[in-house]
Amino acid sequence: MIKAIVFAATLATAGAGVVYAQQSGTTGGSPGTTMGTERGTGGTTGTMGGTSTMGTAGRAGTTAQIMSTLPQHVTAVSNWYDQNVYDTQDNKIGEIKDMLLDREGKVQAVIVSVGGFLGMGEKDVAVAFDAVNPAQRENRWWLTMNASKDQLRTAPGFRFDRSKQAWTMASR
């Protein structure tokens, strides 16, 4: 439970940086300005609301734009985090345990936990975010990959180093 709360807080903090980065790339940046929100395209638009000064949690002297509407064509992290991943034959091959974001807030990779039983013998592997295909089945998110459980088991393993607060290569 605590890990999920920390994960959500981390993503919220990263998201604030993305909102600021999007704001600084627009012309004007005044309340009511519309701007592209879909990753990788000129995309859809979302209306931005007023601004407020951030405290010590944000960059000193910067303002955050508060959104009055949500961007279109986005998905919640909860549709990915702690969700099962299946191969193309609908066999469970792992579970997403973490998502790795770059400095702009774009997800670059997911950490998939594979194998093991009740937490014993699990191996965490990194997979490119684009390799996981989301779909909806019976009103639930369904994540698939064009990979087998054996391919994931033989992939390089990673471990989360709590002292560095980062994923590192696992020792063999």
Side-chain angles (χ1 to χ4, degrees):
M1 180 68 173
I2 292 175
K3 184 176 178 182
I5 293 169
V6 170
F7 182 72
T10 301
L11 286 178
T13 303
V18 172
V19 170
Y20 175 74
Q22 288 177 346
Q23 173 196 7
S24 64
T26 62
T27 56
S30 61
T33 302
T34 59
M35 56 196 267
T37 56
E38 189 169 325
R39 182 174 74 190
T41 66
T44 59
T45 59
T47 304
M48 302 300 289
T51 60
S52 65
T53 303
M54 294 179 70
T56 57
R59 294 182 190 125
T62 63
T63 58
Q65 264 188 317
I66 307 302
M67 300 177 80
S68 60
T69 61
L70 296 176
Q72 296 179 12
H73 309 289
V74 296
T75 184
V77 170
S78 58
N79 292 330
W80 294 79
Y81 181 68
D82 269 347
Q83 299 299 315
N84 293 331
V85 181
Y86 300 88
D87 65 15
T88 55
Q89 285 77 40
D90 293 339
N91 299 309
K92 181 183 171 189
I93 58 175
E95 182 178 342
I96 294 181
K97 288 297 181 184
D98 208 346
M99 300 175 80
L100 307 179
L101 288 69
D102 63 16
R103 290 180 182 250
E104 286 77 39
K106 180 180 174 187
V107 179
Q108 294 294 316
V110 294
I111 301 294
V112 177
S113 181
V114 63
F117 180 72
L118 297 176
M120 299 298 292
E122 281 184 338
K123 181 178 185 180
D124 296 325
V125 299
V127 176
F129 178 67
D130 294 338
V132 181
N133 304 303
Q136 281 199 325
R137 289 190 180 178
E138 300 173 11
N139 239 5
R140 293 185 62 226
W141 281 90
W142 189 263
L143 305 175
T144 61
M145 283 180 48
N146 189 16
S148 69
K149 192 175 232 180
D150 288 336
Q151 287 174 308
L152 293 179
R153 283 184 184 144
T154 59
F158 294 87
R159 68 176 186 84
F160 189 76
D161 185 333
R162 292 181 193 270
S163 66
K164 294 180 182 176
Q165 291 294 298
W167 285 93
T168 60
M169 192 67 101
S171 58
R172 294 187 180 242

